[in-house]
Amino acid sequence: MIKICQEQLNIGESKLQVGNIVYENKNGIEYIQFKKLLEYPEITHCYTMRSNNQLNFQIKNRDFFNQSCDKILKSLNMENIKVVRPYQTHTDTVEKIEKVKNIDELKDVDGVVTNKKDIALLTTSADCISFLLYDPVKKAIGSIHSGWKGTLKRIIIKAIEKMITEYHSKPEDIICCICPSIRQCCFEVDEDVKDLFYNKYKNLKNIDEIIKLGDKKENKQKYYIDTVKINIELLKNIGLKEKNIIDSNICTMCHSKEFHSYRADGKSFGVNGAIIAIK
């Protein structure tokens, strides 16, 4: 069961709407979609779930990766388009996609944007934040991966700036959907990581809510950081409208039975896919 804003999502049903999201199950392929993005029929999108291990976008197994892409695109009725997936290494690099590229051509890239039709942008995560971006005025999209290192590097701001530069987007037109990720309840860090975030973001008005004191474990002080809230503040500061910042409100570690989670699964972790395309 996924708990969202005090509501329960029973994932045994084929299609349900709870909070900001819609849950889909098509022939055992499970994913969520954002209600806001579903208002725009010219695009398609999703954030994948475990799906009884039918989907895994780890690049270590290229055959399984390709099979997973085929399955999810079929579920989205987009069988004839190509997937562009960057080789993510926790950078702040966002690349404009003009034509289909393979993963080896996108080394050290953690975000992709395009205004081209029939190209599905895919980034992956397993606790890190995935953002899905859409500018309905300029018809441009983006899929962005932001782990805690990416949040420190402000990759989501680099992505917005890329859309402004390349597509003349206006921040107030851009919709940003925040996919499931590890949340403050589970993102426990040591003092060194806490200091990195505090030094970077101490001027945010709600820093005391973003970084909270945890327990001491093995004589080490622990802290809990809200990376989602940091990114929301960054998005508002660059000019996105609050109504256009849509959060799934799902913690991947709390709901590791439904979503892949690095902290919950350890070295055997899989990854979820954040996909968006212009039809």
Side-chain angles (χ1 to χ4, degrees), residues 47 50 56 58 60 90 124-129 145 147-149 180-183 186-188 251-272:
Y47 186 78
R50 281 187 181 269
N56 188 346
Q58 284 276 26
K60 297 174 184 177
H90 298 278
T124 61
S125 59
D127 286 341
C128 297
I129 302 171
H145 163 258
W148 67 263
K149 292 180 181 178
S181 65
I182 195 167
R183 302 294 163 131
C186 296
F187 186 43
E188 183 185 73
C251 176
T252 45
M253 189 169 178
C254 288
H255 302 293
S256 59
K257 290 182 179 179
E258 294 83 24
F259 299 93
H260 295 289
S261 167
Y262 173 76
R263 288 207 175 193
D265 299 335
K267 293 182 179 179
S268 62
F269 76 102
V271 291
N272 315 293

Side-chain angles (χ1 to χ4, degrees), residues 94 96 112-115 121 132-136 138-144 156-171 173-176 240 276:
V94 179
K96 174 185 177 182
V112 279
V113 297
T114 193
N115 64 351
L121 303 180
L132 292 174
L133 302 173
Y134 181 48
D135 177 353
K138 298 300 183 180
K139 309 298 182 188
I141 56 174
S143 184
I144 313 299
I156 191 58
I157 298 305
K158 308 286 176 61
I160 300 298
E161 291 172 343
K162 193 80 169 179
M163 293 179 74
I164 293 169
T165 300
E166 299 293 346
Y167 309 122
H168 306 290
S169 294
K170 296 179 180 178
D173 294 328
I174 296 173
I175 299 164
C176 179
L240 269 72
I276 190 165

